């Protein structure tokens, strides 16, 4: 427990715990316990925790809202650094919004709406944080983070905080320089444009309606489970392979949208993992296409 005390010395006693169930911190609502978990408040805390882990040969992993991860039932034998409510500040200046990596996209959308700023509507319904959205260049309904980002602040592998201009981020379909590892996003600056409150609200409401109509929001999931193959749609390939409703245990491919693997209520992480593998296998066999999970898979399965 000395290592926990070292973590608490950095984050404060109330912001670090041992044996934290990761099912509490993922949108799949599954996952075993992390040996340690820290809820960070500043970039300097992240720097210090990474140095602590490296000095003690302890592995670490960074998550935000846990909306794009699948963590093993066996848990995580290391430190889970959680960037959430303690790094969720949002400020508006003119047509720009600066926010911490832990800010929920829905909260940023509300700030944009109240400031009469348009351009963020596409992201409002994505169930994640700004850090995760920048990490994977999140997008929906014709918009992507690359369209609105000005810069991203991140802790670099050498332990310093650096600001990356959007041109340096290597943003593509569900990828960025950050997906290659070594960097921890701590905040970002976005540029929107002036709009009419009622028009922005109407657009947000319309997209929210489309999500409710087409996506299985009533079940725990990680959103779209698979990346879109070039020139194709993962959901269409999965549906045409007859996989709707199929799965393992209490996990299955959604009947509402074949691109979603859902937890019907009592699924284990292994159930979800096995369902993902079933989809990959069947689509490869029937369509000759190898689907790649969009969800990051952590731990042993």
């Amino acid at each position: 427990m000395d290592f926990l005390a070292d973590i608490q010395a950095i984050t404060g006693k109330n912001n670090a715990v041992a044996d934290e169930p990761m099912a509490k911190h993922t949108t799949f609502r599954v996952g075993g316990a992390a040996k340690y978990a820290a809820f960070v408040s500043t970039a300097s805390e992240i720097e210090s925790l990474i140095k602590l882990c490296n000095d003690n040969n302890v592995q670490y992993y960074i998550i935000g809202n846990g909306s794009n991860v699948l963590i093993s039932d066996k848990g995580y034998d290391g430190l889970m650094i959680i960037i959430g409510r303690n790094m969720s500040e949002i400020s508006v200046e003119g047509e720009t919004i600066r926010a911490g990596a832990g800010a929920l996209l829905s909260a940023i959308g509300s700030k944009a709406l109240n400031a009469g700023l348009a351009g963020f509507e596409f992201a409002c319904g994505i169930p994640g944080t700004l850090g995760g959205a920048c990490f994977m260049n999140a997008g929906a309904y014709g918009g992507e983070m690359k369209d609105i980002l000005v810069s991203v602040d991140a802790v670099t592998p050498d332990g310093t905080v650096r600001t990356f201009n959007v041109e340096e981020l290597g943003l593509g379909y569900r990828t960025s320089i950050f997906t290659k590892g070594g960097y921890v996003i701590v905040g970002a600056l976005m540029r929107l444009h002036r709009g009419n409150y009622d028009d922005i609200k109407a657009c947000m409401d319309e997209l929210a309606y489309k999500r409710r109509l087409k996506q299985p929001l009533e079940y725990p999931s990680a959103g779209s489970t698979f990346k879109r193959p070039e020139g194709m749609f993962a959901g269409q390939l999965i549906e045409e392979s007859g996989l709707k409703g199929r799965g393992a245990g209490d996990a299955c491919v959604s009947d509402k949208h074949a691109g979603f693997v859902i937890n019907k209520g009592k699924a284990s992480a292994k159930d979800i993992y096995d369902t993902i593998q079933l989809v990959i296998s069947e689509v490869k066999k029937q369509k000759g296409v190898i689907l790649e999970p969009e969800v990051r898979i952590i731990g042993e399965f």
Side-chain angles (χ1 to χ4, degrees):
M1 297 298 287
D2 289 342
F3 190 74
L4 177 60
D6 292 339
I7 300 171
Q8 291 173 335
I10 294 169
T11 64
K13 190 171 183 179
N14 294 332
N15 289 319
V17 293
D19 300 319
E20 179 70 0
M22 294 313 296
K24 293 168 55 176
H25 303 288
T26 67
T27 57
F28 266 132
R29 298 292 177 256
V30 299
K35 189 171 184 179
Y36 307 103
F39 302 88
V40 292
S41 302
T42 66
S44 62
E45 286 183 3
I46 296 171
E47 294 172 43
S48 297
L49 287 173
I50 291 174
K51 184 177 188 303
L52 177 67
C53 287
N54 289 337
D55 289 347
N56 289 274
N57 199 30
V58 173
Q59 62 179 343
Y60 65 89
Y61 202 88
I62 313 288
I63 67 167
N65 195 45
S67 60
N68 209 42
V69 295
L70 176 62
I71 299 174
S72 169
D73 298 311
K74 299 175 184 178
Y76 183 73
D77 187 25
L79 172 62
M80 195 64 68
I81 299 174
I82 301 173
I83 300 177
R85 61 184 182 274
N86 296 345
M87 293 184 70
S88 60
E89 67 284 351
I90 305 169
S91 61
V92 180
E93 183 174 342
E95 296 184 355
T96 64
I97 294 182
R98 183 178 294 279
L104 290 172
L105 299 179
S106 56
I108 298 172
S110 294
K111 280 279 192 178
L113 172 63
N114 291 331
L117 295 177
F120 200 80
E121 294 89 331
F122 76 91
C124 292
I126 298 174
T129 58
L130 178 60
C134 295
F135 179 89
M136 62 179 293
N137 185 31
Y141 298 108
E144 293 180 291
M145 291 303 297
K146 70 179 180 62
D147 301 329
I148 58 174
L149 280 172
V150 175
S151 62
V152 172
D153 300 322
V155 178
T156 67
D158 64 6
T160 60
V161 178
R162 179 185 161 190
T163 298
F164 294 84
N165 294 325
V166 66
E167 295 83 8
E168 301 176 276
L169 297 178
L171 297 171
Y173 176 66
R174 303 299 180 264
T175 190
S176 70
I177 60 169
F178 306 117
T179 59
K180 298 170 180 62
Y183 298 91
V184 182
I185 298 167
V186 295
L189 178 67
M190 296 156 283
R191 183 175 301 281
L192 305 179
H193 58 271
R194 291 292 171 191
N196 175 272
Y197 178 96
D198 291 335
D199 292 341
I200 299 169
K201 181 68 163 57
C203 182
M204 288 181 175
D205 290 344
E206 179 185 0
L207 295 183
Y209 172 75
K210 287 181 178 179
R211 286 182 186 276
R212 291 193 302 271
L213 190 67
K214 298 179 180 180
Q215 299 179 8
L217 303 182
E218 64 273 27
Y219 293 104
S221 78
S224 296
T225 309
F226 300 94
K227 294 182 180 179
R228 185 178 67 237
E230 189 172 353
M232 305 176 190
F233 293 99
Q236 182 179 352
L237 292 169
I238 296 166
E239 182 170 355
E240 290 176 355
S241 298
L243 290 165
K244 274 190 170 183
R246 291 184 59 187
D250 216 26
C252 72
V253 174
S254 168
D255 286 317
K256 197 172 188 180
H257 191 312
F260 285 62
V261 170
I262 60 171
N263 175 357
K264 291 187 288 184
K266 298 180 180 179
S268 64
K270 184 66 161 56
D271 290 340
I272 294 168
Y273 178 82
D274 287 347
T275 301
I276 290 172
Q277 297 307 311
L278 170 68
V279 169
I280 292 172
S281 175
E282 284 295 315
V283 170
K284 179 183 178 183
K285 182 166 64 177
Q286 296 189 41
K287 299 291 185 179
V289 177
I290 300 176
L291 292 179
E292 182 183 351
E294 187 172 304
V295 175
R296 289 177 288 151
I297 297 172
I298 304 167
E300 296 180 10
F301 286 87

